[in-house]
Amino acid sequence: MIRPTRRTATDADFARRRLAQLAVLGLTAGTTPAALPGSASAAVPSSVKAPSASRAHYDRARRLAADDPVLRALVTALTPGSGLPPLPAPEPVKLFDNLVLLSAGWVSAMAVLTDDGIVLIDALTSPADAEGVIIPGLRAVGADPAAIRHVVVTHGHADHFGGAQTFADRYGARVHMSPADWDLLDRTRPADAPVRDLDIADGAQLTLGGTTIELHHTPGHTPGTVSPVIPLRAGRRHHSAMLWGGLNPPSTVAELRTFLASVHSFRAVMRRANVEVELSNHPNDHGLERAEQLRHQPPGAANPFLLGGPRTQRYMAVMDAMLRGRIADAEEAAGAEEVAGAAGTGAGARGAHTAAASHACC
């Protein structure tokens, strides 16, 4: 049951760039995290120089991140110009009693297990991923893929919807996406796009087997990106998780401001829901490292995905600061392009083309 309540560039290249950084880090627990952008050993191209208007925001983000590997990874992911090649897919793992990570390495899906079936958050890149990663992954943790009742697609890029139609055709699963991103698929007609099914209203609640997942519009990465709030269980304890639906920022000032507004609105949702767990559909948050730590740690050890309320709020504060830096960069670039255009150099048109191409691919 899904019901509306109150309003409270593909990702592939971006993820590959981040995964290369993880290749440097290594996936094992306890590996020293990469240096922060702007520090003496930061792995940021020498050509990337933060203008003075953005530097204060980036510096604030680094101070907020401090030595926290999750927040440091977020700073790196949102730093302009970072990047390198993909890592192998990890084995499926239960992050909590009712949540399974199913990953192709550079992109991941989450399966929420309920008493009446499974809600799949994203469906990886293709029918091949549905067959080769998600279905056997669920079986490996003792879940039945035939129990998939709903597929929630966080946004309309192929690495998130690619396997969705497989579950609709085989198991009768309903596919959910925001109206804006259904429209995006209608316009672009990508391969493996699911048949248009159910719209996600802003603030909708999807209930299955006594588990209610909230779905909030957080536009920015795409016009209709959706970020879920998911109830989780760990033994007798209950926790609330967030999954930010699409991290890689757009290129224009207007789109970036929309993204920043989404950060603010969702941060308020997180406070109300007492969110303590942070999740991501790409390895931009030290997530694969934490999954390996969880897989190998002894019973009773602290779950590395359980950050607590203050730390998840700081995660959003880091995102806020980095986006303000990106906005300052975009404003400065736009001003430079206007000057160049007025001088007849054509640099403005070339810069606009480059920015648009960059966002289209991530």
Side-chain angles (χ1 to χ4, degrees):
M1 174 179 64
I2 186 167
R3 59 183 185 276
T5 56
R6 62 192 179 285
R7 164 73 178 148
T8 35
T10 64
D11 296 326
D13 292 343
F14 163 68
R16 291 187 185 101
R17 292 196 301 269
R18 174 65 187 128
L19 276 162
Q21 295 160 356
L22 294 181
V24 175
L25 290 176
L27 279 176
T28 57
T31 303
T32 302
L36 288 172
S39 66
S41 57
V44 176
S46 59
S47 59
V48 177
K49 302 294 183 184
S52 57
S54 61
R55 185 176 298 278
H57 298 298
Y58 294 145
D59 287 348
R60 179 173 183 270
R62 290 194 295 270
R63 288 194 301 272
L64 286 166
D67 60 354
D68 186 317
V70 177
L71 305 187
R72 287 167 63 98
L74 180 62
V75 170
T76 300
L78 288 171
T79 296
S82 54
L84 281 166
L87 290 174
E91 294 297 317
V93 59
K94 274 192 172 184
L95 303 184
F96 290 84
D97 292 350
N98 63 328
L99 185 74
V100 182
L101 171 70
L102 303 158
S103 183
W106 63 276
V107 62
S108 299
M110 301 283 176
V112 183
L113 312 180
T114 82
D115 294 338
D116 289 342
I118 297 170
V119 178
L120 190 64
I121 310 292
D122 285 338
L124 302 183
T125 70
S126 63
D129 274 352
E131 298 279 2
V133 178
I134 294 176
I135 290 174
L138 286 170
R139 288 176 177 150
V141 297
D144 183 1
I148 296 173
R149 301 286 180 260
H150 300 276
V151 180
V152 172
V153 180
T154 57
H155 63 273
H157 285 164
D159 49 334
H160 300 274
F161 66 66
Q165 193 61 42
T166 298
F167 302 114
D169 292 342
R170 183 171 302 181
Y171 306 130
R174 306 301 302 271
V175 180
H176 306 252
M177 202 182 309
S178 70
D181 277 19
W182 280 123
D183 292 346
L184 176 64
L185 298 194
D186 288 344
R187 290 194 304 273
T188 57
R189 300 182 179 278
D192 300 322
V195 175
R196 189 162 188 156
D197 192 1
L198 297 177
D199 286 352
I200 298 173
D202 187 19
Q205 293 183 342
L206 174 59
T207 299
L208 182 69
T211 297
T212 297
I213 301 169
E214 294 183 10
L215 304 170
H216 297 273
H217 289 189
T218 52
H221 180 66
T222 64
T225 299
V226 168
S227 296
V229 173
I230 308 166
L232 300 176
R233 299 192 315 273
R236 295 183 179 180
R237 297 185 176 183
H238 295 262
H239 304 288
S240 182
M242 58 78 84
L243 190 156
W244 186 256
L247 183 67
N248 194 33
S251 57
T252 72
V253 173
E255 291 172 316
L256 284 163
R257 290 194 180 280
T258 296
F259 198 128
L260 185 60
S262 294
V263 169
H264 293 169
S265 63
F266 193 64
R267 195 174 177 187
V269 167
M270 289 168 57
R271 286 195 195 97
R272 174 183 55 77
N274 191 28
V275 165
E276 301 174 283
V277 175
E278 178 276 329
L279 305 168
S280 180
N281 46 26
H282 284 289
N284 46 37
D285 64 341
H286 203 64
L288 294 186
E289 296 93 332
R290 287 186 283 161
E292 293 306 306
Q293 177 184 341
L294 181 65
R295 190 194 310 276
H296 298 294
Q297 71 185 18
N303 189 316
F305 287 88
L306 184 58
L307 304 187
R311 198 169 160 205
T312 57
Q313 284 292 314
R314 195 150 53 98
Y315 183 92
M316 300 304 288
V318 168
M319 196 186 302
D320 178 297
M322 291 301 294
L323 283 169
R324 289 178 188 275
R326 298 291 288 254
I327 290 169
D329 286 343
E331 288 174 337
E332 181 161 320
E337 287 168 3
E338 286 180 10
V339 171
T345 64
R350 288 196 300 271
H353 173 76
T354 301
S358 173
H359 184 49
C361 74
C362 319

